[in-house]
């Protein structure tokens, strides 16, 4: 066992972790632990853009951005947090630019912007140009830029170290226990402040846009320490994943003029969202696709539809007026435009489904994409230990794993890259401030390590009969079948029961690799335990919420019910299988809940 000491320890080297590390690292001794090499984090897969009301190409304001975010959230977001994010968006994008991020440019040299779902001019109600982008690899550029800055500011990196436990003394966090993936050695990190920035958990479902590595480790670990997870029933299904594979086709394809066509050749979004059509918020578009498929309008009777960005001349489905963007402009889509603005997407389509999007429509279906819920925090990333907003001292969370809550029931596209840099920056500053003049609180490193060793040795030596991959697949199919785009009581209740059964079987798994070197078999088994816990909490939270709001669409409670359910869920796990739910109010500053019309 090795012991390390740093003022601030950040778990996760994605956009949130790196932005926090940069800010903390400028002032105090800071380390980042990441199970992946940082620039391989999922932030690097983000394509479309980062939202900020720069108003570079047309009139825009942060207040419009805030209203769109609150409306998109189906009024579940905390409005003070939303205002903070949208106000700071403009400055943080300029900061990234000054760090060297190569944004696409307008002819005058300003940062270029594109349209995205749910972002509107609040006066005309039409889509607005608000997403700043670097072609269709914006996240990749954010990650590279921040990593270089962290190196410049001497942040310490522990790459391919996996956090497997937190060192908690009551509700205070004093460090982290990590597993060195290469050699299986246990490392104890003693810290004054610990931040969790571990990303999401899309692999709870079988069709997902998320990396295989996103297994919600930090969220599951906090649950096991008696801390709550907030609004877990709200998980976003992005409407356009490549059929069967789930690989994301960015909303920017629709932002640039792409349209959705059903198996009968009809453009169906005008039926569901007459004003903004394909650029309605993601929950609305995902449900529309699902309903088309259910009505037998999938392509060739299958469970997918077409996303079409081919020029009208090639596309046999188009009528004259369909060749315009949702904003009424003529679509300026030609092969060259698609290839320069959507280069990676063009590649993905050719590589994975053999489709050239400049001449053929892309087969798409909803894909599990983004965790709106997560570890509850205040706007400075301090973790809340209860529904009464008591703070867990020394513990912070930012990025997708956190729930501030700026996304409420449904996140708007481009608001996650924004969330990670705005709250990463706030968190880095807050931690630096909080640890100054503070001593390291004592820890029992031997005891903390021993607890992990016992658990991991038990896993490594388990001689059960169940296979990790089989349990994982059953969980994913079950969640897709019963707790995805649409849900109802009997289905969710059955999912809860079957998840408990899967958890029971999980205790009887078998690990083939008994060694220490790069034992991914062992880590996969541990990660499956995390996914199962998160799936159970998601299903229990969904079963209790008797209304439809944002991404949580109940077939048996079709309406939003502000009287009874305008509140955040907080789920606690008491023992292996028991979940207790509590609630707390939503913060409303000025935007009174209204019906959402797109
Ligand atoms: C395909 C795709 C496209 C997207 N496009 C956009 C977009 O255009 N605009 C937008 O706003 N949002 C987009 N999103 C969402 C957005 O990219 C993510 O929500 C965001 O990047 C998450 O950043 P993060 O820093 O929280 O986590 P991540 O970037 O996922 O990083 C997580 C980090 O945690 C580390 N980690 C995890 N567990 C452990 C552990 N146990 N121990 C140590 N380290 C650990 C990993 O190594 C990694 O470094 C997209 C998401 C996907 C999947």
């Amino acid at each position: 066992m090795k012991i390390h000491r740093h003022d601030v320890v950040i778990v996760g080297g994605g956009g949130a972790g790196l932005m926090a590390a940069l800010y903390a690292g400028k002032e105090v001794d800071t380390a980042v632990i990441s199970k992946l090499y940082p620039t391989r984090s999922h932030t690097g897969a983000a394509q479309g853009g980062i939202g900020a009301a720069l108003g570079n190409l047309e009139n825009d304001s942060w207040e419009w951005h805030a209203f769109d975010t609150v409306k998109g959230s189906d009024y579940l977001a905390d409005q003070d947090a939303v205002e903070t994010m949208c106000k700071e968006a403009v400055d943080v994008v300029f900061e990234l630019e000054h760090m060297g991020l190569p944004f696409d440019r307008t002819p005058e040299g300003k940062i270029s912007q594109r349209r995205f779902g749910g972002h509107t001019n609040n006066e005309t109600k039409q889509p607005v140009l608000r997403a700043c982008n670097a072609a269709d690899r914006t996240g990749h550029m954010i990650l590279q830029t921040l990593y270089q800055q962290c190196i410049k500011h001497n942040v310490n990196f522990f790459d391919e170290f996996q956090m497997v436990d937190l060192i908690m003394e009551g509700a205070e966090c004093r460090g982290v226990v990590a597993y060195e993936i290469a050699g299986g050695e246990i490392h104890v990190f003693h810290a004054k402040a610990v931040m969790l920035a571990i990303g999401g958990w899309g692999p709870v479902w079988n069709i997902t846009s998320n990396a295989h590595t996103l297994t919600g480790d930090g969220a599951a670990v906090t649950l096991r320490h008696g801390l709550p997870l907030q609004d877990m029933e709200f998980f976003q299904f992005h409407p356009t994943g490549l059929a069967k594979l789930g690989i994301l086709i960015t909303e920017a394809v629709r932002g640039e003029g792409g349209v959705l066509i059903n198996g009968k050749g009809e453009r169906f979004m005008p039926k569901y969202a007459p004003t903004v059509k394909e650029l309605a918020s993601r929950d609305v578009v995902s449900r529309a696709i699902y309903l088309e498929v259910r009505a037998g309008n999938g392509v060739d009777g299958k469970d997918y539809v077409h996303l079409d960005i081919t020029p009208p001349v090639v596309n046999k489905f188009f009528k004259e007026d369909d060749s315009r963007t949702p904003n009424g402009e003529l679509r300026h889509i030609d092969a060259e435009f698609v290839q320069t603005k959507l280069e990676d997407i063009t590649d993905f389509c050719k590589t994975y489904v053999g489709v050239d999007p400049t001449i053929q429509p892309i087969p798409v279906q909803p894909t599990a994409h983004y965790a709106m819920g997560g570890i509850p925090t205040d706007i400075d990333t301090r973790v809340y230990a209860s529904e009464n907003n008591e703070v867990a001292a020394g513990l912070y969370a930012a990025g997708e794993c956190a729930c501030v809550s700026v996304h409420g029931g449904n996140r708007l596209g481009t608001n996650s890259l924004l969330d990670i840099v705005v709250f990463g920056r706030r968190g880095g500053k807050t931690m630096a401030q909080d640890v100054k003049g503070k001593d390291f609180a004592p820890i029992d490193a031997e005891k903390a390590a021993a607890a992990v060793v016992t658990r991991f040795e038990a896993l490594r030596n388990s001689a059960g009969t169940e296979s990790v991959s089989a349990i994982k697949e059953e969980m994913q199919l079950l969640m897709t079948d019963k707790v995805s785009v649409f849900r109802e009581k009997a289905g969710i209740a059955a999912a809860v029961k079957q998840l408990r059964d899967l958890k029971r079987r999980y205790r009887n798994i078998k690990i083939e690799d008994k060694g220490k070197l790069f034992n991914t078999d062992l880590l996969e088994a541990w990660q499956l335990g995390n996914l199962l816990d998160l799936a159970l909490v998601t299903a229990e939270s969904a079963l209790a919420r008797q209304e439809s709001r944002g991404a949580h669409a109940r077939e048996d409670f079709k309406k939003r019910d502000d009287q009874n359910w305008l509140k955040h869920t907080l789920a606690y796990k008491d023992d292996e299988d028991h979940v207790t739910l509590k609630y707390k109010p939503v913060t409303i500053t000025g935007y009174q809940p209204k019906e959402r019309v797109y």
Side-chain angles (χ1 to χ4, degrees), residues 11-18 33-38 40-51 116 138-139 143 161-164 197-200 209-211 213-218 247-248 250 282 369-370 398-401 411-420 526-527 530:
V11 184
L18 293 183
I33 300 174
S34 180
K35 71 180 181 186
L36 302 172
Y37 186 73
R40 294 182 66 90
S41 304
H42 191 72
T43 296
Q47 305 163 355
I50 173 168
F116 247 80
T138 314
L143 212 47
F161 276 61
Q162 185 149 353
M163 182 278 302
V164 288
I198 54 96
S209 66
N210 284 195
T213 51
L214 289 171
T215 50
D217 307 346
I247 295 172
L248 193 79
T250 173
R282 290 176 178 174
H369 184 57
Y370 184 83
E400 186 167 339
C401 70
R411 171 175 75 82
L412 292 190
T414 77
N415 270 356
S416 172
L417 289 181
L418 180 60
D419 167 358
I420 65 179
W526 182 70
Q527 290 172 174
N530 299 336

Side-chain angles (χ1 to χ4, degrees), residues 53 60-69 86-87 122 130 591:
D60 199 5
S61 77
W62 74 259
E63 287 93 343
W64 289 355
H65 187 180
F67 172 72
D68 288 341
T69 302
C86 297
K87 215 186 287 181
N122 286 189
R130 188 180 286 152
Y591 307 103

Side-chain angles (χ1 to χ4, degrees), residues 408-569:
N410 171 63
R411 171 175 75 82
L412 292 190
T414 77
N415 270 356
S416 172
L417 289 181
L418 180 60
D419 167 358
I420 65 179
V421 288
V422 165
F423 292 102
R425 183 168 76 172
R426 291 181 77 88
K429 286 183 189 171
T430 305
M431 289 190 291
Q433 200 181 22
D434 287 358
V435 304
K436 275 188 199 155
K438 186 179 160 189
D439 288 330
F440 283 94
I443 57 165
D444 185 342
E446 297 284 344
K447 189 171 143 214
V452 167
V453 171
T454 310
R455 211 170 314 133
F456 271 66
E457 285 312 306
L459 264 183
R460 195 197 312 271
N461 298 318
S462 71
T465 50
E466 298 283 353
S467 115
V468 169
S469 60
I471 294 181
K472 185 172 177 186
E473 194 182 341
E474 280 185 50
M475 170 197 69
Q476 291 176 322
L477 290 170
L478 175 68
M479 290 299 283
T480 299
D481 185 32
K482 301 201 155 55
V483 196
S484 59
V485 176
F486 282 101
R487 300 121 186 233
E488 46 76 42
K489 183 176 174 189
I492 316 174
V496 167
K497 192 163 164 289
Q498 286 175 48
L499 284 168
R500 291 221 171 92
D501 193 44
L502 287 174
K503 282 170 67 65
R504 192 182 47 70
R505 284 170 51 197
Y506 172 76
R507 281 169 218 136
N508 184 34
I509 48 170
K510 169 173 73 202
I511 307 271
E512 301 288 349
D513 184 352
K514 306 286 180 198
K516 291 231 160 182
L517 304 183
F518 281 105
N519 192 341
T520 48
D521 217 17
L522 176 69
L523 291 170
E524 293 257 341
W526 182 70
Q527 290 172 174
L528 174 61
N530 299 336
L531 290 172
L532 281 167
D533 275 347
L534 298 178
L536 182 67
V537 166
T538 302
E540 291 268 28
S541 303
L543 184 59
R545 186 174 282 271
Q546 298 187 343
E547 65 158 353
S548 289
R549 181 187 300 271
H552 174 71
R554 287 278 301 247
E555 306 218 62
D556 42 354
F557 297 96
K558 289 199 161 71
K559 289 232 152 48
R560 196 175 82 198
D561 175 0
D562 288 335
Q563 195 147 16
N564 296 304
W565 290 102
L566 184 58
K567 56 188 179 185
H568 297 294
T569 307

Side-chain angles (χ1 to χ4, degrees), residues 22-306:
L22 177 57
Y23 268 88
K26 285 178 183 172
E27 297 191 57
V28 295
D29 176 25
T30 300
V32 173
I33 300 174
S34 180
K35 71 180 181 186
L36 302 172
Y37 186 73
T39 51
R40 294 182 66 90
S41 304
H42 191 72
T43 296
Q47 305 163 355
I50 173 168
L54 306 184
N56 275 355
L57 291 152
E58 57 185 351
N59 201 14
D60 199 5
S61 77
W62 74 259
E63 287 93 343
W64 289 355
H65 187 180
F67 172 72
D68 288 341
T69 302
V70 170
K71 177 181 171 190
S73 83
D74 224 350
Y75 294 89
L76 191 71
D78 285 324
Q79 298 180 7
D80 53 343
V82 171
E83 286 168 342
T84 302
M85 180 177 79
C86 297
K87 215 186 287 181
E88 292 183 15
V90 176
D91 172 63
V92 87
V93 164
F94 289 143
E95 184 179 2
L96 290 171
E97 182 191 30
H98 294 166
M99 285 181 198
L101 199 149
F103 284 111
D104 281 15
R105 302 272 158 192
T106 65
E108 307 80 56
K110 293 182 180 172
I111 295 175
S112 177
Q113 301 191 273
R114 55 168 46 141
R115 297 187 176 89
F116 247 80
H119 293 276
T120 62
N121 174 318
N122 286 189
E123 282 159 13
T124 64
K125 315 285 181 225
Q126 293 297 332
V128 72
L129 294 154
R130 188 180 286 152
C132 315
N133 64 287
D136 54 353
R137 52 184 89 90
T138 314
H140 173 87
M141 294 306 182
I142 290 179
L143 212 47
Q144 299 292 334
T145 305
L146 291 176
Y147 186 57
Q148 288 165 9
Q149 292 291 321
C150 284
I151 297 291
K152 181 175 162 188
H153 288 94
N154 300 319
V155 171
N156 302 284
F157 280 95
F158 293 86
D159 301 335
E160 300 189 334
F161 276 61
Q162 185 149 353
M163 182 278 302
V164 288
D165 206 358
L166 293 172
I167 303 175
M168 301 290 295
E169 232 8 273
E172 182 178 354
C173 185
R174 299 183 180 173
V176 164
V177 184
Y179 178 98
E180 187 181 4
I181 298 173
E185 199 172 2
I186 299 293
H187 292 246
V188 169
F189 290 82
H190 191 187
K192 297 175 187 171
V194 171
M195 172 180 272
L196 296 172
I198 54 96
W201 42 90
V204 161
W205 290 266
N206 72 327
I207 302 279
T208 177
S209 66
N210 284 195
H212 178 74
T213 51
L214 289 171
T215 50
D217 307 346
V221 166
T222 57
L223 255 187
R224 284 175 210 144
H225 280 285
L227 298 168
L229 293 180
Q230 184 172 318
D231 295 338
M232 290 293 284
E233 62 273 42
F234 296 96
F235 198 93
Q236 178 168 82
F237 287 77
H238 191 294
T240 60
L242 275 184
K244 303 215 178 325
L245 301 170
I247 295 172
L248 193 79
I249 299 300
T250 173
E251 193 166 303
V253 171
R254 282 171 285 136
E256 301 287 11
V259 291
L260 288 164
I261 309 285
N262 67 19
K264 291 182 175 160
E266 291 161 355
R267 181 179 178 191
F268 55 86
M269 275 317 294
K271 231 178 0 190
Y272 300 92
T275 313
V276 287
K277 306 180 183 86
E278 277 78 4
L279 291 184
S281 66
R282 290 176 178 174
D283 53 337
V284 174
V285 184
S286 284
R287 281 196 287 275
I289 295 177
Y290 194 94
L291 290 172
E292 287 296 310
V293 167
R294 200 152 69 175
N297 295 339
V299 173
D300 296 333
K302 304 225 173 80
D303 58 354
Y304 62 86
V305 295
H306 274 147

